[in-house]
mmCIF file of all heavy atoms in Angstrom:
data_model
loop_
_atom_site.group_PDB
_atom_site.id
_atom_site.type_symbol
_atom_site.label_atom_id
_atom_site.label_comp_id
_atom_site.label_asym_id
_atom_site.label_seq_id
_atom_site.Cartn_x
_atom_site.Cartn_y
_atom_site.Cartn_z
ATOM 1 N N VAL A 26 -27.764 22.601 -2.533
ATOM 2 C CA VAL A 26 -26.989 21.476 -2.017
ATOM 3 C C VAL A 26 -26.132 20.862 -3.131
ATOM 4 O O VAL A 26 -24.991 20.437 -2.888
ATOM 5 C CB VAL A 26 -27.901 20.408 -1.371
ATOM 6 C CG1 VAL A 26 -28.651 19.593 -2.404
ATOM 7 C CG2 VAL A 26 -27.088 19.470 -0.471
ATOM 8 N N LEU A 43 -4.862 15.253 -4.294
ATOM 9 C CA LEU A 43 -5.134 13.888 -4.727
ATOM 10 C C LEU A 43 -5.410 13.808 -6.221
ATOM 11 O O LEU A 43 -5.999 14.714 -6.810
ATOM 12 C CB LEU A 43 -6.345 13.333 -3.966
ATOM 13 C CG LEU A 43 -6.248 13.295 -2.444
ATOM 14 C CD1 LEU A 43 -7.568 12.841 -1.859
ATOM 15 C CD2 LEU A 43 -5.125 12.389 -1.996
ATOM 16 N N ALA A 44 -5.000 12.688 -6.823
ATOM 17 C CA ALA A 44 -5.428 12.347 -8.171
ATOM 18 C C ALA A 44 -6.593 11.379 -8.046
ATOM 19 O O ALA A 44 -6.669 10.616 -7.099
ATOM 20 C CB ALA A 44 -4.277 11.706 -8.929
ATOM 21 N N SER A 76 -4.511 8.350 -5.577
ATOM 22 C CA SER A 76 -3.096 8.035 -5.540
ATOM 23 C C SER A 76 -2.386 9.118 -4.748
ATOM 24 O O SER A 76 -2.522 10.303 -5.047
ATOM 25 C CB SER A 76 -2.518 7.962 -6.957
ATOM 26 O OG SER A 76 -1.146 7.643 -6.930
ATOM 27 N N ALA A 78 1.286 10.003 -2.159
ATOM 28 C CA ALA A 78 2.605 9.585 -1.696
ATOM 29 C C ALA A 78 2.714 9.767 -0.188
ATOM 30 O O ALA A 78 2.191 10.741 0.373
ATOM 31 C CB ALA A 78 3.691 10.389 -2.397
ATOM 32 N N PHE A 94 -18.940 11.450 7.333
ATOM 33 C CA PHE A 94 -18.552 12.471 8.310
ATOM 34 C C PHE A 94 -19.807 12.932 9.054
ATOM 35 O O PHE A 94 -20.753 13.430 8.430
ATOM 36 C CB PHE A 94 -17.893 13.656 7.605
ATOM 37 C CG PHE A 94 -16.595 13.309 6.921
ATOM 38 C CD1 PHE A 94 -16.589 12.705 5.668
ATOM 39 C CD2 PHE A 94 -15.382 13.586 7.529
ATOM 40 C CE1 PHE A 94 -15.397 12.386 5.036
ATOM 41 C CE2 PHE A 94 -14.184 13.266 6.910
ATOM 42 C CZ PHE A 94 -14.190 12.661 5.661
ATOM 43 N N ARG A 110 -16.989 13.079 14.276
ATOM 44 C CA ARG A 110 -16.492 11.715 14.086
ATOM 45 C C ARG A 110 -16.705 11.299 12.635
ATOM 46 O O ARG A 110 -17.524 11.898 11.916
ATOM 47 C CB ARG A 110 -17.205 10.737 15.023
ATOM 48 C CG ARG A 110 -18.710 10.681 14.847
ATOM 49 C CD ARG A 110 -19.391 9.822 15.896
ATOM 50 N NE ARG A 110 -20.829 9.815 15.731
ATOM 51 C CZ ARG A 110 -21.495 8.990 14.929
ATOM 52 N NH1 ARG A 110 -20.814 8.086 14.231
ATOM 53 N NH2 ARG A 110 -22.804 9.038 14.834
ATOM 54 N N GLY A 113 -15.693 4.690 7.870
ATOM 55 C CA GLY A 113 -15.840 4.266 6.486
ATOM 56 C C GLY A 113 -14.970 3.071 6.162
ATOM 57 O O GLY A 113 -14.529 2.335 7.048
ATOM 58 N N LEU A 116 -10.650 0.171 -0.232
ATOM 59 C CA LEU A 116 -10.247 -1.031 -0.953
ATOM 60 C C LEU A 116 -8.951 -0.761 -1.703
ATOM 61 O O LEU A 116 -8.839 0.218 -2.442
ATOM 62 C CB LEU A 116 -11.328 -1.456 -1.946
ATOM 63 C CG LEU A 116 -10.927 -2.557 -2.946
ATOM 64 C CD1 LEU A 116 -10.694 -3.878 -2.214
ATOM 65 C CD2 LEU A 116 -11.990 -2.720 -4.035
ATOM 66 N N LEU A 122 -1.483 -3.017 -5.102
ATOM 67 C CA LEU A 122 -0.360 -3.446 -4.268
ATOM 68 C C LEU A 122 0.857 -3.826 -5.112
ATOM 69 O O LEU A 122 1.997 -3.534 -4.747
ATOM 70 C CB LEU A 122 -0.763 -4.631 -3.397
ATOM 71 C CG LEU A 122 -1.409 -4.336 -2.045
ATOM 72 C CD1 LEU A 122 -1.729 -5.639 -1.331
ATOM 73 C CD2 LEU A 122 -0.503 -3.472 -1.173
ATOM 74 N N THR A 123 0.603 -4.493 -6.233
ATOM 75 C CA THR A 123 1.701 -4.866 -7.119
ATOM 76 C C THR A 123 2.447 -3.618 -7.591
ATOM 77 O O THR A 123 3.684 -3.572 -7.565
ATOM 78 C CB THR A 123 1.171 -5.659 -8.325
ATOM 79 O OG1 THR A 123 0.631 -6.906 -7.870
ATOM 80 C CG2 THR A 123 2.260 -5.924 -9.336
ATOM 81 N N GLY A 136 -4.876 -16.702 0.140
ATOM 82 C CA GLY A 136 -5.663 -17.865 0.509
ATOM 83 C C GLY A 136 -6.313 -17.816 1.873
ATOM 84 O O GLY A 136 -7.064 -18.723 2.240
ATOM 85 N N ALA A 137 -6.044 -16.767 2.648
ATOM 86 C CA ALA A 137 -6.641 -16.629 3.977
ATOM 87 C C ALA A 137 -6.705 -15.148 4.331
ATOM 88 O O ALA A 137 -5.924 -14.348 3.808
ATOM 89 C CB ALA A 137 -5.826 -17.393 5.024
ATOM 90 N N LYS A 140 -3.675 -12.480 4.527
ATOM 91 C CA LYS A 140 -2.541 -13.068 3.829
ATOM 92 C C LYS A 140 -2.547 -12.683 2.355
ATOM 93 O O LYS A 140 -3.602 -12.580 1.724
ATOM 94 C CB LYS A 140 -2.549 -14.596 3.939
ATOM 95 C CG LYS A 140 -2.492 -15.135 5.360
ATOM 96 C CD LYS A 140 -1.152 -14.830 6.020
ATOM 97 C CE LYS A 140 -1.089 -15.435 7.413
ATOM 98 N NZ LYS A 140 0.226 -15.167 8.065
ATOM 99 N N ARG A 171 1.720 -2.800 5.826
ATOM 100 C CA ARG A 171 2.995 -3.519 5.849
ATOM 101 C C ARG A 171 2.826 -4.921 5.284
ATOM 102 O O ARG A 171 1.894 -5.640 5.640
ATOM 103 C CB ARG A 171 3.531 -3.592 7.273
ATOM 104 C CG ARG A 171 4.740 -4.509 7.469
ATOM 105 C CD ARG A 171 5.379 -4.297 8.814
ATOM 106 N NE ARG A 171 6.041 -2.981 8.857
ATOM 107 C CZ ARG A 171 6.591 -2.465 9.952
ATOM 108 N NH1 ARG A 171 6.536 -3.139 11.094
ATOM 109 N NH2 ARG A 171 7.171 -1.279 9.898
ATOM 110 N N PRO A 178 11.893 -19.773 1.656
ATOM 111 C CA PRO A 178 12.741 -20.953 1.471
ATOM 112 C C PRO A 178 14.076 -20.560 0.842
ATOM 113 O O PRO A 178 14.116 -19.943 -0.221
ATOM 114 C CB PRO A 178 11.941 -21.843 0.523
ATOM 115 C CG PRO A 178 10.762 -21.057 0.085
ATOM 116 C CD PRO A 178 10.718 -19.780 0.813
ATOM 117 N N LEU A 199 -0.235 5.484 3.955
ATOM 118 C CA LEU A 199 -1.453 6.000 3.322
ATOM 119 C C LEU A 199 -1.881 7.350 3.889
ATOM 120 O O LEU A 199 -2.947 7.848 3.560
ATOM 121 C CB LEU A 199 -2.601 5.008 3.508
ATOM 122 C CG LEU A 199 -2.435 3.645 2.844
ATOM 123 C CD1 LEU A 199 -3.601 2.743 3.189
ATOM 124 C CD2 LEU A 199 -2.318 3.809 1.342
ATOM 125 N N ALA A 202 -3.325 10.076 1.703
ATOM 126 C CA ALA A 202 -4.623 9.879 1.054
ATOM 127 C C ALA A 202 -5.788 10.023 2.015
ATOM 128 O O ALA A 202 -6.945 9.990 1.592
ATOM 129 C CB ALA A 202 -4.672 8.505 0.394
ATOM 130 N N LEU A 207 -8.335 10.997 10.306
ATOM 131 C CA LEU A 207 -8.889 9.695 9.937
ATOM 132 C C LEU A 207 -7.766 8.663 9.934
ATOM 133 O O LEU A 207 -6.703 8.889 9.346
ATOM 134 C CB LEU A 207 -9.540 9.767 8.558
ATOM 135 C CG LEU A 207 -10.569 8.693 8.195
ATOM 136 C CD1 LEU A 207 -11.754 8.766 9.142
ATOM 137 C CD2 LEU A 207 -11.034 8.869 6.756
ATOM 138 N N THR A 213 -8.178 -6.548 6.413
ATOM 139 C CA THR A 213 -8.301 -7.959 6.074
ATOM 140 C C THR A 213 -8.182 -8.091 4.561
ATOM 141 O O THR A 213 -8.202 -7.091 3.836
ATOM 142 C CB THR A 213 -9.636 -8.558 6.564
ATOM 143 O OG1 THR A 213 -9.598 -9.981 6.408
ATOM 144 C CG2 THR A 213 -10.815 -7.990 5.777
ATOM 145 N N VAL A 219 -7.572 -6.005 -0.650
ATOM 146 C CA VAL A 219 -7.323 -5.695 0.754
ATOM 147 C C VAL A 219 -8.352 -4.672 1.208
ATOM 148 O O VAL A 219 -8.477 -3.595 0.608
ATOM 149 C CB VAL A 219 -5.892 -5.147 0.948
ATOM 150 C CG1 VAL A 219 -5.667 -4.748 2.403
ATOM 151 C CG2 VAL A 219 -4.874 -6.179 0.514
ATOM 152 N N LEU A 221 -9.963 -2.202 4.151
ATOM 153 C CA LEU A 221 -9.554 -1.419 5.315
ATOM 154 C C LEU A 221 -10.758 -0.752 5.947
ATOM 155 O O LEU A 221 -11.673 -0.304 5.243
ATOM 156 C CB LEU A 221 -8.542 -0.348 4.898
ATOM 157 C CG LEU A 221 -7.270 -0.846 4.223
ATOM 158 C CD1 LEU A 221 -6.643 0.269 3.411
ATOM 159 C CD2 LEU A 221 -6.289 -1.364 5.246
#
Side-chain angles (χ1 to χ4, degrees):
V26 75
L43 301 175
S76 181
F94 296 81
R110 59 187 178 86
L116 169 67
L122 273 180
T123 295
K140 301 293 183 179
R171 171 168 290 174
L199 296 176
L207 200 62
T213 190
V219 177
L221 302 158

